[in-house]
Amino acid sequence: MPNILNARDIDFLMDDVFGLADILSHPLYADHDREGCAQILQTAEKLAEDLFQPFAAKADANEPWLEDGVAHVIPETETALKAYAEAGFPAAGFAQADGGMQLPYIVGQAAAGWFVAANCGFAAYPFLSAAAGNLLAAYGTDEQKSKYLTPLVEGRAFGTMCLSEPHAGSSLGDIRTRAERQQDGSFRLFGSKMWISGGDHEMGENIFHLVLAKIPGGPAGTKGISLFLVPRRLEDGSRNDVATAGLNHKMGYRGTTNCALNFGEHDGAVGWLVGDENRGLNAMFHMMNEARTGVGHGAAVMGVSGYLHALAYAKDRTQGRAVDERDPTSPMIPLIEHADIRRQLMQARAYAEGSLALSMYAASLVDRERMDDKTATQLLAILTPIIKSWPSEFALRANDIAIQIHGGYGYTRDYPVERLYRDNRLNPIHEGTKGIQGMDLLGRKVVQDGGAPLRALSGEIGTTLSAADAFPEERDQLAVLLERVGEVTLAMASAAMTDPKAYLANATIYLDMLGHVVVAWLWLRQAIAVRDHSDTDFAAGKVTTMRYFFRYELPVTGPQLDLLAELDRTCLEAEATQF
């Protein structure tokens, strides 16, 4: 260890692939330069190595516990959070008008990656708080910002998102938590919420819960959902009517308290409306979409860390001999000298670093959107489901491969790869399952604004293809595939009006297919960008991994497109009695 991340790769993505210099040249980021960004990233790397990674295994083995109705965590967590706050990281992404650093989002995400990869159980607390703060910055009143946003920016308080309920899960239209209006303008909330990360602990001054609830008399379903801010402690220091009913013990993220919360066991939990009545889901999506891109980034960096651990192990561990070696007494060779180990490493790298490129590209789009780039808004619309889901599936596979390369040791706690796998296995569930992301992509984002987001994506890919003369085989392969994606998508959309069930039946197949196309494009962008890199081994490794992805992984999109073009009904028509 540490093998957390590769700083050279992060710099390459920011500088050479996604144009950090152009972002920093915008007046929005006038107070920052590349040298200052480098110092911030070096600080993140050092804190991650020196303070956060060392207690990751301890936090995993010593889960939060409930005592006298209050959740507790090991003391190292609070020590790390204080150091994180003292270094100024909670303020990184907030606007200067809100007391923040107004750091480019791509730099903030790069810094965040160090903490997530080092110790994701710790990282959940500040990153959920940042998302809560960004929601308040967008929808909160001036009074709410003064009371609640400032403590979040300064790292003195924490935030949560309270959506799911025990009976409803992801079906938010069926939530039962109600908010009763009070004469002073506040509300009293009554109901139960489940799976609340960071929902209770004794760290910091307060916890601000952002809670979805329904005001009696409002519309049914999702149209009647409003959003409320419910503090754990009220202004007079007393405990609000929010009780921790229990802790959920998951296979990963064990350092994070995950709570079942009861609001209003007595007189009702005091809360305040955020945004407009019955528009709570719209406001919450501001936090949810940020969380979805954060989940994708977290999955990516955990995949990268697993790959780096496996690479180090494969170089150090000796086992077996070359296939053409006839002397059984000759020295054993490092694992990396075996062809199939190299294949596994290549596959893990293709998935992990491809995921990282995807999430860093998304971060650059957030910056472009802040700079009033309308195309970036369209690209984020269509890519958010992919950004969340593709790394959650394929960077997780990189973690699986890392265990395999370690052999029997990979399944033990002697090495971190089994923990990284367990942690990353939660990300396919976090912020909406793969099925939900597929439905969002095909049911909404692909057809949004008459197909403008897909056209914007095709345009971005086309720009890369026009600059890919150094890689004609991959350029032509991707060009043909991109054309077919457009044809199949158009044919599917034309059938959607008459057969919507068949249109959406294979939405997850469409999600995987388009994700592979996007990641292949980003690998090609990296290969183009790396040609003049000063480190020839680094450059050659990028190009070889790009070629691997095109030859070994991208061809799976062919059969996927065949199924989609046929509007295959195999799963749709399987009766429940057949299972």
Side-chain angles (χ1 to χ4, degrees), residues 409-429:
Y409 289 110
Y411 299 93
T412 71
R413 295 194 178 186
D414 297 337
Y415 292 87
V417 289
E418 66 88 27
R419 171 171 47 81
L420 284 165
Y421 177 88
R422 286 188 290 102
D423 287 337
N424 215 355
R425 183 58 185 85
L426 272 62
N427 284 319
I429 294 290

Side-chain angles (χ1 to χ4, degrees), residues 4-20 34 37-38 40-42 44-45 48 105-115 117 297 300-301 304-305 308 349 352-353 356-357 359-361 363 526 533 538 542:
I4 300 173
L5 291 177
N6 186 333
R8 177 182 55 183
D9 194 29
I10 293 171
D11 288 341
F12 165 70
L13 290 171
M14 289 194 303
D15 296 324
D16 301 324
V17 184
F18 301 128
L20 177 57
R34 188 61 181 89
C37 292
I40 290 169
L41 293 173
Q42 288 165 9
E45 180 179 1
Y105 191 77
I106 191 171
V107 178
Q109 282 291 82
W114 285 101
F115 300 116
H297 187 59
V301 297
V304 169
S305 187
L308 292 175
R349 181 180 185 180
E353 291 186 8
L356 183 62
S359 66
M360 293 293 281
Y361 175 60
Q526 291 184 77
H533 200 281
F538 178 77
K542 284 289 186 182

Side-chain angles (χ1 to χ4, degrees), residues 8 30 67 86 155 165 173 252 337 351 359 366 371 403 413 425 431 509 525 537 541 548:
R8 177 182 55 183
E67 186 176 322
E86 289 171 358
E165 298 185 2
E337 296 299 327
Y351 290 157
S359 66
V366 173
M371 295 152 55
I403 292 175
R413 295 194 178 186
R425 183 58 185 85
E431 310 312 326
I509 306 300
R525 280 189 66 169
D537 285 338
Y548 167 86

Side-chain angles (χ1 to χ4, degrees), residues 76-132:
E76 288 89 340
T77 304
E78 186 168 13
T79 300
L81 285 168
K82 286 181 178 178
Y84 179 89
E86 289 171 358
F89 284 106
F94 290 102
Q96 290 175 343
D98 295 320
M101 295 171 55
Q102 205 160 306
L103 190 69
Y105 191 77
I106 191 171
V107 178
Q109 282 291 82
W114 285 101
F115 300 116
V116 178
N119 188 336
C120 72
F122 146 81
Y125 297 103
F127 298 145
L128 279 170
S129 301

Side-chain angles (χ1 to χ4, degrees), residues 307-501:
Y307 160 72
L308 292 175
H309 282 290
L311 176 62
Y313 186 84
K315 289 181 175 181
D316 182 67
R317 168 77 171 182
T318 58
Q319 186 170 314
R321 293 163 182 84
V323 293
D324 58 354
E325 175 59 64
R326 303 305 179 192
D327 182 2
T329 65
S330 64
M332 292 191 292
I333 60 176
L335 284 173
I336 200 168
E337 296 299 327
H338 296 287
D340 195 59
I341 295 294
R342 294 187 188 187
R343 178 195 63 80
Q344 292 179 68
L345 287 169
M346 190 76 71
Q347 185 177 33
R349 181 180 185 180
Y351 290 157
E353 291 186 8
S355 295
L356 183 62
L358 175 62
S359 66
M360 293 293 281
Y361 175 60
S364 75
L365 290 178
V366 173
D367 283 318
R368 286 171 52 184
E369 185 177 43
R370 290 175 177 176
M371 295 152 55
D372 295 324
D373 183 337
K374 305 304 180 186
T375 301
T377 301
Q378 294 174 335
L379 291 167
L380 279 171
I382 195 169
L383 288 175
T384 294
I386 297 171
I387 294 161
K388 189 275 176 188
S389 294
W390 203 92
S392 295
E393 172 135 349
F394 291 96
L396 175 65
R397 293 192 190 181
N399 291 121
D400 180 54
I401 294 166
I403 292 175
Q404 187 73 14
I405 290 172
H406 279 73
Y409 289 110
Y411 299 93
T412 71
R413 295 194 178 186
D414 297 337
Y415 292 87
V417 289
E418 66 88 27
R419 171 171 47 81
L420 284 165
Y421 177 88
R422 286 188 290 102
D423 287 337
N424 215 355
R425 183 58 185 85
L426 272 62
N427 284 319
I429 294 290
H430 283 159
E431 310 312 326
T433 63
K434 183 178 181 181
I436 289 173
Q437 305 305 322
M439 296 280 279
D440 182 39
L441 175 64
L442 194 56
R444 284 195 287 265
K445 303 303 175 56
V446 167
V447 297
Q448 184 175 307
D449 298 329
L454 184 58
R455 288 195 298 274
L457 178 60
S458 298
E460 291 273 304
I461 297 174
T463 299
T464 300
L465 293 176
S466 66
D469 290 345
F471 305 102
E473 179 183 338
E474 291 81 11
R475 176 199 61 199
D476 295 346
Q477 181 183 355
L478 186 56
V480 170
L481 182 56
L482 183 62
E483 183 176 0
R484 188 163 186 226
V485 169
E487 293 170 351
V488 170
T489 303
L490 185 62
M492 292 175 68
S494 66
M497 297 299 293
T498 57
D499 197 352
K501 288 186 176 180

